[in-house]
Amino acid sequence: MRFTVLTLFPDMIRQGLSTSILGRAEERGFISFDIRNIRDYTTERHGHVDDAPYGGGAGMLMQADPILRCYRSATADLPKAPRVIYVTPQGRQFTQADAKMFAAEETLLILCGHYEGVDERALELLGAEPYSIGDYVLTGGELPAMVMVDAISRMVPGVLSNQESGEIESFEGNLLEYPQYTRPEVYEGLRVPPVLLSGDHKKVAQWRREQALLRTRERRPDLFAKVELNKADRKFLQAQAERSADET
C-alpha cells in the first residue's frame, strides 16, 4: 500500500514513520511512503503558500494552487485518482473500522492542513474527505496524519509479524481489549489471574471475553451499547449485576 502525504513539514512525517514496525514494513515492501513538501510547488517568489482569508478574520489560510500543483505531481504516475483524506477537527471521527476500510486502498493520499486551514476550493477540487482523530485542535495535520497511517498500516497484510495482533485487539466488535499479563506470576503482591496459567484455552478465551465486556462497559459505555451480546455474555453480565446487588 502506498501512502502519499502532502505537508509543509515533510521531515516531521518522515521521522515519525521511518522507525519501528512501519519502518520495517516499508523496508520489506508492504507499505511505501511518498512525502511531498507543498512549499516546493508554490509559484510565489518568496515561497509563500498562505494568505489572509477573504472576509477578514484571524490567521492565514493555505492557498489552493500550491496544494493542487503538489497533488498533480504526486499522482501523475498513478493509474487512477487516489482516495484523498483531509485531516481536520471538523471531520468525522476516525475509527478502527475506517482503518480497516482504508487499508484496502492501493494508494491513500493525506493532506495536512496548517495555519487556520485550507482554501475550501482545494478540498472541493481534490474531493477530499474530512477526518478527525478527536475533538481538540492541534497546530497542524501532521500528527493526526501519522496516527491514521499507523492505524491503517497495522491492517495491511504482512505489516505485523503476527497478523492476529491486528485482528484481535481493542475495538474489534466494539470491545476494548482485555487485561494482559506477562512474567513474573507475582509482582509486588499482585498475581496473574489463575485462569491464564491453567492451559485451558477455552476458559482463557471465555475469561478474556468477559473481561473485555466489563472493561468496555466501564470505560466506554457508548461502545458497549453497540456490542452484540450472545447468550453467554448476557448470562455473565446478569450474574455480575446480581453479585453487585448483593454486595450493596
Side-chain angles (χ1 to χ4, degrees):
M1 180 179 182
R2 171 173 167 175
F3 292 96
T4 299
V5 184
L6 312 187
T7 173
L8 295 177
F9 300 94
D11 289 343
M12 181 178 180
I13 297 290
R14 291 192 188 98
Q15 291 171 10
L17 300 180
S18 63
T19 59
S20 189
I21 291 174
L22 298 193
R24 292 194 297 271
E26 184 181 23
E27 291 176 358
R28 293 156 61 196
F30 294 114
I31 56 177
S32 64
F33 302 117
D34 180 15
I35 315 300
R36 301 287 179 121
N37 188 342
I38 297 171
R39 202 177 297 277
D40 291 341
Y41 297 87
T42 181
T43 58
E44 205 278 332
R45 62 176 182 171
H46 298 296
H48 294 161
V49 295
D50 62 322
D51 210 331
Y54 282 119
M60 306 287 276
L61 284 179
M62 291 177 65
Q63 296 171 300
D65 188 61
I67 293 173
L68 266 294
R69 287 176 178 273
C70 185
Y71 167 83
R72 287 165 182 156
S73 175
T75 59
D77 64 337
L78 299 180
K80 64 177 182 178
R83 195 165 186 175
V84 178
I85 302 303
Y86 173 52
V87 284
T88 168
Q90 301 172 25
R92 60 170 287 183
Q93 185 173 350
F94 176 72
T95 67
Q96 185 71 11
D98 293 319
K100 275 191 169 182
M101 174 182 64
F102 290 138
E105 299 287 333
E106 292 183 10
T107 301
L108 187 68
L109 188 145
I110 302 178
L111 171 62
C112 301
H114 212 71
Y115 308 118
E116 290 300 310
V118 170
D119 187 314
E120 190 71 18
R121 293 168 294 184
L123 304 179
E124 291 179 14
L125 291 167
L126 295 178
E129 303 173 52
Y131 274 86
S132 168
I133 63 166
D135 293 334
Y136 42 85
V137 180
L138 301 174
T139 55
E142 286 72 23
L143 289 174
M146 286 188 282
V147 167
M148 292 180 66
V149 169
D150 189 291
I152 295 165
S153 295
R154 291 171 57 82
M155 296 293 103
V156 175
V159 168
L160 299 181
S161 56
N162 177 5
Q163 189 59 29
E164 185 182 26
S165 296
E167 296 172 351
I168 305 176
E169 57 185 353
S170 288
F171 306 112
E172 294 302 317
N174 293 307
L175 286 173
L176 300 183
E177 196 170 29
Y178 45 79
Q180 298 202 67
Y181 303 84
T182 188
R183 291 183 177 87
E185 290 183 22
V186 181
Y187 180 71
E188 295 196 3
L190 299 176
R191 292 183 173 274
V192 174
V195 65
L196 299 180
L197 308 175
S198 68
D200 188 325
H201 298 299
K202 185 175 180 180
K203 287 185 178 180
V204 169
Q206 179 184 349
W207 180 88
R208 286 175 169 173
R209 172 78 179 183
E210 292 170 351
Q211 294 302 309
L213 287 168
L214 294 176
R215 177 163 287 187
T216 306
R217 186 175 64 177
E218 175 187 355
R219 300 182 182 181
R220 292 291 304 274
D222 57 319
L223 286 178
F224 185 76
K226 303 175 185 177
V227 175
E228 294 185 11
L229 300 175
N230 57 39
K231 185 177 180 179
D233 294 337
R234 289 190 287 271
K235 182 177 180 180
F236 167 72
L237 292 171
Q238 178 63 32
Q240 287 291 309
E242 292 173 357
R243 186 177 299 113
S244 296
D246 291 341
E247 294 174 353
T248 57

